[in-house]
Amino acid sequence: MTRPPPPPGWYPDPAGGPSARWWDGQGWTEHLQQAGPPPAPAQQVPAGPSLYDQPVLLVSQKTKLIELTNEYAVLDGQGAQIGAVVQVGQSTAKKAVRLFTQLDQFLTHRLEVRDARGPVLVLTRPAKVMKSRVVVERPDGTPLGEIVQANVFGRIRFDLVVGDQVIGAIQAENWRAWDFAVVDAAGTEVARITKKWEGLARTMFTTADRYVVLVHYRLPEPLASMVIASALTVDTALKQDDRGFN
């Protein structure tokens, strides 16, 4: 019994070319269908440590008095650089103001927190008069929360606010000694910002512009992002400079 021919359609070219050839139900025609471009390879996420997985972070800053663009490295507990905090969006006029005046605290600052994957957080500190405030966002602009200075006198405290709820705080126990407790909404300490940790080699603290962030355990979101944002920018974004302004 004779097998019926296949129905009309595009089929692999029997001549062996890369294009498909039209079969009209009775025979091959001269019509060819060009092969489409090969599918794009899947994007690979760069390998490397995440800031969120580190129990110890060492922040190595530059001197604020001569720095026109804030940029500093973030190291792991072994001293290897795994990230950075970089100031972005500075105009030439703003750099001139920072160079010739002491009005840094009255300027708006925008910072990117980066690790091996690229930017992971974006922080904007609007110009302030009395109290600091930092807006925390994802790199795609999704809002996360705010770091808000709660008081002006006494022991300075910054609240970590998500929506309308305070989910934690930074308590400046001793600003001159650079000692901050980071607590959750229940008041339990979840991290500490300090210059008095003995776990790193003394040579890593040869300058005064380095401090350590100790994260006591893996934190849930959004608290984890808010703690990282506040800990890595407590000086640049909140205290701002070495001239004594809070």
Side-chain angles (χ1 to χ4, degrees):
M1 183 175 180
T2 305
R3 185 176 181 180
W10 295 105
Y11 295 93
D13 188 352
S19 303
R21 186 177 292 273
W22 181 256
W23 169 266
D24 63 7
Q26 299 296 326
W28 296 104
T29 70
E30 297 181 355
H31 303 293
L32 297 176
Q33 184 183 55
Q34 297 298 320
Q43 284 190 330
Q44 299 295 321
V45 177
S50 168
L51 296 176
Y52 288 79
D53 296 330
Q54 307 301 314
V56 178
L57 294 171
L58 174 65
V59 182
S60 180
Q61 301 183 104
K62 297 177 182 179
T63 304
K64 298 294 185 298
L65 290 176
I66 62 173
E67 184 184 7
L68 299 184
T69 300
N70 294 324
E71 180 174 353
Y72 45 97
V74 182
L75 316 177
D76 64 13
Q78 286 69 50
Q81 182 170 353
I82 60 172
V85 180
V86 180
Q87 185 158 13
V88 295
Q90 269 210 123
S91 65
T92 302
K94 181 181 287 187
K95 290 184 179 181
V97 170
R98 300 187 72 186
L99 177 62
F100 297 111
T101 74
Q102 296 187 358
L103 300 178
D104 231 16
Q105 66 167 338
F106 301 111
L107 301 177
T108 296
H109 297 274
R110 186 174 175 86
L111 305 169
E112 281 187 357
V113 179
R114 303 170 181 173
D115 63 11
R117 301 169 296 172
V120 294
L121 294 171
V122 177
L123 296 91
T124 303
R125 200 204 84 165
K128 72 165 189 173
V129 178
M130 292 295 292
K131 295 182 180 179
S132 290
R133 180 174 67 91
V134 175
V135 179
V136 184
E137 300 172 307
R138 297 292 186 198
D140 63 2
T142 303
L144 272 173
E146 294 188 357
I147 308 167
V148 181
Q149 185 174 342
N151 60 333
V152 176
F153 303 104
R155 291 185 177 181
I156 301 298
R157 188 183 84 251
F158 297 95
D159 289 337
L160 310 181
V161 181
V162 174
D164 295 325
Q165 294 185 334
V166 176
I167 66 168
I170 311 173
Q171 298 174 350
E173 298 184 2
N174 189 330
W175 204 308
R176 290 188 179 277
W178 206 252
D179 190 22
F180 304 84
V182 185
V183 300
D184 62 15
T188 302
E189 182 174 313
V190 296
R192 180 161 288 268
I193 305 168
T194 182
K195 288 188 176 182
K196 294 183 177 180
W197 190 55
E198 300 297 332
L200 291 178
R202 184 177 297 274
T203 55
M204 298 185 72
F205 285 93
T206 55
T207 59
D209 56 0
R210 292 188 173 192
Y211 64 88
V212 169
V213 182
L214 305 174
V215 182
H216 301 331
Y217 54 88
R218 184 65 182 263
L219 302 173
E221 284 291 356
L223 181 60
S225 290
M226 296 299 291
V227 168
I228 288 177
S230 58
L232 297 188
T233 59
V234 66
D235 188 42
T236 301
L238 300 177
K239 189 172 187 291
Q240 189 50 50
D241 58 29
D242 293 335
R243 292 185 278 259
F245 296 113
N246 286 330

